[in-house]
């Protein structure tokens, strides 16, 4: 097979780890070029060439497309209409049509629902009158969500009573909205799934996600669920992969309800924060898997070798600027920083993986270790 030049829209930490994976496959990928607005972005520090420009900059996207053999993305906010045009210059994957559906949460949920995949009850909201009427069908609390461009829960407003209807609507200042029934879930879980260009599908074992202030804090691999729940989640993930078009890795976020029912919360058409444990826990990292999928190689082994916890290192509150990290060395502890120059409150600066390499700790032992380590791995001002 000929060596290919890979393009990535977005050069943050996901682009960085994709670039690192690509550099380990020089027989398949000769070069990586990313599009990112921040000069010296994380991916460029890992050896990618960079076009400095916005993810939605039409000219920059088309310039990138003209320079690469295959174009993928690490963020879902790229312009899917421009990516459709870019398809005349290069292969875009996952397909722009899949991106178009996924990047609008209402279209995404409608698509899943139409394909018989379980999602929480949802409805489109056009006005305050509409909201007043439709929320009565769901009851309180309910979640009002921006249909597009949301991340880290910033596009969500939990409406707790009728008194909050107007402030909820105003919070979004005119953006297209949808309303969701609030799921009183037992656990949040996710499946990292891949499909290659030949249609082969592979899923990683189900993991458990703990959020704090709507931001992923920790991923526990494997999830502490019954075998039955894990199998059901895997089945739903596979069904989802069968209906989505395009090759690549997808992060499928799900809820486990109190009745052990699985509902999909949302899908990311890209490598996902809850798959970072695979850097140490699995034979094939999610980043290598994505590359294997899009260049049409056989998918790699997804088995979990050892239980692992991934812990996100976020910028501390009340401080912005250059920072340093303590130098910590420990067995089975893997710190990965993303090369971001400045810390900002709640910014994802890095993560660590803690691996139960001897299979002696179990998840509870790993959790105990994480709770002592996490207070030592804190960014501080220089
Ligand atoms: P992210 O960037 O973290 O994926 P996002 O901004 O796209 O997030 P969502 O994934 O829709 O937002 O929601 C963020 C979190 O809010 C979820 O992980 C979950 O904890 C909670 N949440 C979302 N929808 C619901 C729901 N219908 N019922 C209960 N909780 C919900
Ligand atoms: Mg989410």
């Amino acid at each position: 097979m000929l060596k290919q030049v890979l393009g990535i829209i977005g050069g943050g930490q996901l682009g960085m780890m994709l670039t690192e994976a690509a550099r380990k496959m020089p027989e398949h990928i000769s070069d990586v070029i990313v599009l990112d607005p921040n000069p010296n972005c994380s991916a460029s520090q890992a050896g990618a060439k960079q076009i400095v420009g916005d993810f939605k900059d039409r000219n920059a996207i088309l310039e990138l497309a003209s320079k690469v053999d295959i174009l993928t993305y690490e963020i879902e906010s790229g312009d899917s209409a421009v990516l459709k045009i870019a398809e005349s210059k290069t292969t875009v994957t996952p397909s722009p049509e899949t991106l178009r559906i996924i990047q609008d949460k209402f279209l995404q949920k409608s698509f899943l629902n139409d394909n018989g995949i379980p999602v929480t009850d949802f409805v489109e909201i056009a006005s305050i009158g509409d909201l007043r009427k439709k929320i009565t069908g769901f009851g309180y609390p309910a979640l009002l969500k921006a249909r597009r461009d949301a991340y880290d829960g910033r596009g969500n407003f939990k409406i707790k009573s009728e008194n909050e209807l107007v402030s909820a609507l105003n919070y979004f200042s005119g953006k297209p909205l949808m309303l969701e029934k609030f799921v009183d879930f037992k656990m949040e879980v996710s499946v990292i799934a891949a499909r290659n260009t030949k249609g082969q599908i592979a899923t990683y074992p189900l993991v458990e996600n703990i959020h704090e202030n709507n931001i992923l804090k920790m991923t526990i691999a494997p999830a502490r669920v019954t075998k039955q729940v894990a199998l059901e989640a895997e089945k739903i993930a596979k069904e989802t992969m069968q209906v989505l078009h395009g090759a690549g890795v997808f992060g499928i976020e799900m809820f486990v309800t109190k009745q052990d029912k699985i509902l999909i919360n949302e899908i990311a058409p890209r490598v996902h924060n809850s798959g970072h444990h695979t850097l140490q826990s699995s034979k094939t990292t999610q980043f290598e898997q994505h590359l294997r999928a899009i260049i049409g190689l056989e998918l790699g082994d997804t088995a979990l070798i050892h239980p692992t916890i991934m812990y996100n290192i976020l910028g501390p509150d009340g401080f912005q600027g250059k920072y340093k990290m303590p130098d910590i060395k420990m067995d089975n502890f893997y710190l990965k920083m993303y090369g971001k120059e400045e810390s900002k409150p709640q910014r994802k600066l890095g993560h660590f993986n803690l691996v139960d390499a001897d299979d002696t700790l179990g998840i509870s032992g790993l959790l105990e270790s994480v709770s002592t380590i996490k207070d030592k791995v804190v960014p501080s001002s220089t």
Side-chain angles (χ1 to χ4, degrees):
M1 196 190 286
L2 285 175
K3 287 184 191 184
Q4 309 203 52
V5 178
L6 171 72
I8 309 173
I9 297 183
Q13 60 265 26
L14 302 178
M16 172 187 212
M17 291 182 271
L18 284 169
T19 302
E20 287 165 350
R23 288 172 64 97
K24 290 184 186 152
M25 304 165 83
E27 68 282 24
H28 299 291
I29 297 171
S30 56
D31 234 334
V32 181
I33 311 175
V34 301
L35 169 64
D36 195 279
N38 302 310
N40 196 28
C41 66
S42 299
S44 76
Q45 294 178 41
K49 294 182 178 137
Q50 180 177 0
I51 295 174
V52 179
D54 192 83
F55 312 125
K56 295 190 187 189
D57 180 333
R58 180 191 164 96
N59 291 334
I61 293 173
L62 294 178
E63 182 194 341
L64 178 62
S66 70
K67 290 185 166 158
V68 301
D69 301 303
I70 186 159
L71 182 57
T72 189
Y73 36 90
E74 59 129 46
I75 45 145
E76 50 267 54
S77 60
D79 189 326
S80 58
V82 177
L83 286 174
K84 270 187 193 158
I85 299 167
E87 281 188 303
S88 65
K89 297 178 189 284
T90 189
T91 305
V92 182
T93 185
S95 79
E97 178 56 15
T98 293
L99 177 64
R100 186 184 72 83
I101 294 168
I102 285 184
Q103 69 187 179
D104 179 329
K105 287 182 177 177
F106 178 74
L107 288 185
Q108 181 189 138
K109 285 220 159 75
S110 307
F111 175 81
L112 292 171
N113 198 39
D114 292 347
N115 281 286
I117 292 164
V119 291
T120 178
D121 293 346
F122 67 100
V123 67
E124 206 176 356
I125 296 293
S127 65
I128 186 75
D130 206 19
L131 177 61
R132 258 183 223 292
K133 198 167 69 205
K134 287 173 176 164
I135 204 165
T136 55
F138 287 173
Y140 296 94
L143 271 187
L144 193 60
K145 292 190 175 184
R147 284 174 56 166
R148 294 180 57 113
D149 296 334
Y151 66 99
D152 293 344
R154 282 169 223 210
N156 293 355
F157 191 108
K158 185 172 171 183
I159 308 178
K160 294 187 224 53
S161 74
E162 206 182 326
N163 300 333
E164 293 181 341
L165 291 178
V166 174
S167 44
L169 205 75
N170 289 341
Y171 173 77
F172 292 101
S173 44
K175 287 187 184 148
L177 299 175
M178 66 185 285
L179 185 72
E180 278 184 26
K181 191 165 178 169
F182 191 80
V183 182
D184 188 17
F185 55 79
K186 180 157 88 179
M187 190 186 282
E188 288 194 76
V189 294
S190 58
V191 173
I192 303 297
R195 192 181 54 235
N196 72 7
T197 51
K198 297 172 185 128
Q200 184 195 2
I201 291 172
T203 55
Y204 286 86
L206 189 71
V207 298
E208 176 177 344
N209 297 318
I210 315 276
H211 291 83
E212 253 172 48
N213 305 318
N214 279 309
I215 300 180
L216 181 68
K217 194 73 218 193
M218 191 158 71
T219 294
I220 302 171
R224 293 169 292 175
V225 295
T226 61
K227 197 160 187 190
Q228 210 178 350
V229 168
L231 284 174
E232 177 67 11
E234 190 187 315
K235 183 175 142 251
I236 289 172
K238 287 202 163 121
E239 284 167 6
T240 304
M241 293 305 287
Q242 266 146 15
V243 297
L244 287 175
H245 296 286
V249 158
F250 292 76
I252 307 176
E253 301 175 10
M254 306 166 172
F255 300 127
V256 183
T257 69
K258 298 248 159 79
Q259 294 74 37
D260 272 351
K261 231 179 107 188
I262 302 277
L263 299 171
I264 290 194
N265 171 36
E266 64 166 348
I267 299 174
R270 54 169 170 78
V271 286
H272 193 259
N273 196 167
S274 71
H276 291 358
H277 67 91
T278 60
L279 284 172
Q280 272 78 38
S281 70
S282 314
K283 196 165 163 209
T284 318
T285 71
Q286 64 163 342
F287 306 101
E288 178 187 340
Q289 191 79 311
H290 181 65
L291 301 177
R292 298 185 75 84
I294 64 177
I295 61 183
L297 297 177
E298 185 89 355
L299 294 177
D301 186 355
T302 55
L304 190 72
I305 302 171
H306 298 295
T308 299
I309 289 182
M310 187 283 317
Y311 188 89
N312 269 344
I313 296 166
L314 305 177
D317 286 333
F319 152 65
Q320 174 161 353
K322 294 208 177 356
Y323 65 97
K324 60 177 188 310
M325 291 298 293
D327 185 22
I328 294 180
K329 291 208 166 46
M330 246 178 298
D331 286 347
N332 306 318
F333 166 84
Y334 300 87
L335 179 65
K336 177 83 188 164
M337 298 304 294
Y338 306 147
K340 297 182 185 176
E341 253 171 49
E342 292 208 342
S343 177
K344 287 181 198 160
Q346 304 295 307
R347 186 180 200 192
K348 288 177 181 168
L349 299 175
H351 72 262
F352 68 79
N353 283 334
L354 193 70
V355 184
D356 186 9
D358 305 318
D359 295 313
T360 48
L361 297 172
I363 298 298
S364 59
L366 272 178
L367 278 168
E368 257 174 57
S369 302
V370 166
S371 76
T372 46
I373 294 168
K374 72 175 170 52
D375 297 326
K376 299 186 183 130
V377 199
V378 179
S380 58
S381 60
T382 48

